[in-house]
Amino acid sequence: MGNMGFPVTALRTMARNEALDMFPRFVDANSVVMVSNREGKHDIWRMDVRNGRAERLTNFPGGTIRMLTVARGAQVAAFQRNSRIYTLDLRTRAVNEVAIRTPEDSRRNPELELTLTSGISDMAASPDGKRLIAGARGELFLLPGTGGTTRRVTTNPGPDGQPQWIDDKTVLYTAAKPDGKRTLRTMTITGEDTLWREDPQDVMGALISPDRKWVAFHRGDREVVVAPIDGKGGTVVATGDFATGYNGGHSFSWSPDSQWLVLTRSLTRSVTIEVVKRDGSERMEVTKVGKSASTPIFTADGRHIAFIGVEGLDYNEARGGAVPLMIIDLQAAPIRFSEDDLDKLDEAPAARTEAAVTVSIDKEGLATRRRRVIGSSTSEGVTGYWPAATGGTLFANVGGQF
């Protein structure tokens, strides 16, 4: 670094070192400030032009300093460091960051209006059939059971879904907090929203029992919990790999008498279909599937369990569309003799009654009572199934047909 007189006639070197000295600025006739890395990092230094002696004014831990300038009358220097602006009082050596605030000049409308005519991810009908609750794009919407005016009923920043009706006026649903934590909340049709359950782990995928007194739900990806309808307490009835809850589904279904859950539990090389008591007091394996199994369901009469299973040595049957529908008979078939049709011709037919359903499981020979009912060829793959309202009938989507 050197100084020059005007006109430029004589040059005098003021500093001889290996450092990089930059942006020199006169403070007065006898001193300049500059940016230098004399001690291995960028700082502001002051030098006496008469003898070349320099002293460090700042002590930053690192970073890059540039664009140094000086307001002589105010004895203040300003500079840029790491994309921020600072001032340096040359008398006190105090450094202050300059806060720069500018208004946003966005020309985009912060609100986007959407008309949704598709993309429904959840749907549930109220017990009296008068209302539907639908989920789309992470929000819930209320509409008449016959269709018509739609009203948005959630405004949570996180996604909401998996709605279930507690009664004709109240919905239980999964809501994600701003940090992503999943909770269970209730909401009335008038918009009253209340926290129903929040645990240290995520809680989601609630399924209400047919008698509407109990709620089964996933807690994290390892537990299935059953709690009273008020959300207080609860019992862990099953543990295992239940990642389905995080994907918006359920690993379990209720029995029609609200006493049992049937669920899938993944093992290292297979999947088991199991039933567990509502209070966790009893658990039994119903069958085992080689590759994968869908969420099993009870028939409305409580006598059968249905599921879609992939049993082969590889997944070719799934790729080819021949995914079969399996039925497990919970009760052994009555013994019939070859001449019963003759011997019982005069017997009066048994009277049909509408007695309350009670699930009873005959453990003896249970593993042998599994049968494939649909899906014996590549053209008969099953993609969906659900029970009829009464009896042992099932509806299924087979090859795109019901």
Side-chain angles (χ1 to χ4, degrees):
M1 179 181 290
N3 72 339
M4 298 178 293
F6 289 93
V8 179
T9 56
L11 299 177
R12 177 165 58 89
T13 299
M14 298 193 310
R16 292 180 180 276
N17 54 59
E18 297 297 326
L20 183 63
D21 299 329
M22 305 176 292
F23 305 109
R25 298 291 184 267
F26 274 98
V27 177
D28 52 42
N30 297 319
S31 62
V32 297
V33 291
M34 59 186 176
V35 177
S36 179
N37 63 350
R38 297 186 176 209
E39 294 184 353
K41 57 188 180 66
H42 279 196
D43 275 303
I44 308 297
W45 290 68
R46 190 205 310 261
M47 175 183 290
D48 190 321
V49 299
R50 295 168 297 187
N51 53 32
R53 294 176 181 174
E55 60 176 340
R56 179 170 47 80
L57 301 182
T58 62
N59 187 20
F60 290 112
T64 301
I65 299 176
R66 60 181 63 196
M67 301 304 177
L68 177 65
T69 185
V70 174
R72 296 189 185 182
Q75 288 287 304
V76 175
F79 56 93
Q80 174 188 332
R81 176 178 177 272
N82 292 350
S83 301
R84 297 178 180 273
I85 305 299
Y86 295 84
T87 60
L88 168 64
D89 190 317
L90 298 175
R91 292 165 296 194
T92 65
R93 303 188 183 185
V95 177
N96 293 291
E97 182 180 346
V98 178
I100 300 177
R101 296 181 176 85
T102 59
E104 183 181 2
D105 189 22
S106 174
R107 299 188 182 278
R108 294 179 299 173
N109 187 345
E111 295 185 1
L112 178 64
E113 292 188 4
L114 298 175
T115 300
L116 302 180
T117 58
S118 62
I120 300 298
S121 57
D122 298 291
M123 180 74 75
S126 62
D128 61 7
K130 293 182 178 180
R131 295 175 178 85
L132 295 174
I133 192 80
R137 295 178 65 94
E139 301 295 343
L140 296 180
F141 300 84
L142 186 68
L143 64 157
T146 56
T149 303
T150 302
R151 179 191 303 153
R152 179 180 174 182
V153 291
T154 58
T155 57
N156 174 34
D160 304 318
Q162 300 175 310
Q164 291 277 303
W165 289 88
I166 292 178
D167 53 41
D168 293 329
K169 303 294 178 65
T170 310
V171 174
L172 177 65
Y173 69 99
T174 302
K177 298 172 65 176
D179 62 0
K181 175 89 174 292
R182 302 189 192 191
T183 63
L184 292 173
R185 303 186 68 88
T186 59
M187 175 188 57
T188 66
I189 60 174
T190 58
E192 299 175 13
D193 195 280
T194 306
L195 179 66
W196 186 84
R197 182 88 176 212
E198 181 176 4
D199 286 0
Q201 301 181 65
D202 290 324
V203 288
M204 61 226 153
L207 201 60
I208 297 173
S209 62
D211 63 6
R212 305 200 174 274
K213 296 179 180 179
W214 305 92
V215 179
F217 58 89
H218 286 285
R219 182 161 66 189
D221 61 352
R222 305 294 300 174
E223 295 179 339
V224 174
V225 179
V226 174
I229 199 69
D230 60 9
K232 298 177 181 178
T235 302
V236 177
V237 298
T239 59
D241 182 4
F242 300 123
T244 303
Y246 277 107
N247 299 327
H250 306 88
S251 298
F252 52 83
S253 300
W254 280 100
S255 65
D257 62 356
S258 303
Q259 295 297 314
W260 298 86
L261 288 174
V262 59
L263 53 88
T264 59
R265 192 164 65 89
S266 298
L267 304 179
T268 303
R269 294 184 177 273
S270 62
V271 178
T272 62
I273 307 293
E274 301 177 1
V275 290
V276 294
K277 270 283 193 180
R278 182 190 68 207
D279 58 3
S281 61
E282 186 177 356
R283 179 182 69 85
M284 69 181 77
E285 180 180 303
V286 177
T287 191
K288 187 175 291 185
V289 185
K291 287 295 182 181
S292 65
S294 63
T295 301
I297 62 171
F298 284 90
T299 54
D301 60 6
R303 298 179 60 85
H304 314 278
I305 289 174
F307 66 95
I308 295 173
V310 176
E311 187 70 86
L313 298 177
D314 54 40
Y315 284 99
N316 284 336
E317 57 185 306
R319 296 190 190 102
V323 181
L325 179 65
M326 303 283 192
I327 294 291
I328 301 170
D329 300 319
L330 300 181
Q331 290 289 317
I335 298 176
R336 298 182 184 276
F337 297 96
S338 59
E339 296 183 357
D340 280 353
D341 55 344
L342 284 174
D343 295 339
K344 298 181 179 181
L345 284 175
D346 295 325
E347 291 184 4
R352 300 186 63 178
T353 60
E354 297 294 334
V357 174
T358 300
V359 174
S360 178
I361 302 174
D362 184 359
K363 301 179 183 178
E364 186 69 27
L366 181 60
T368 65
R369 296 199 295 271
R370 188 182 84 181
R371 48 198 171 92
R372 176 186 297 206
V373 294
I374 302 176
S376 59
S377 68
T378 57
S379 63
E380 294 182 344
V382 180
T383 57
Y385 58 101
W386 58 95
T390 59
T393 303
L394 286 171
F395 296 98
N397 187 327
V398 184
Q401 302 295 318
F402 291 101

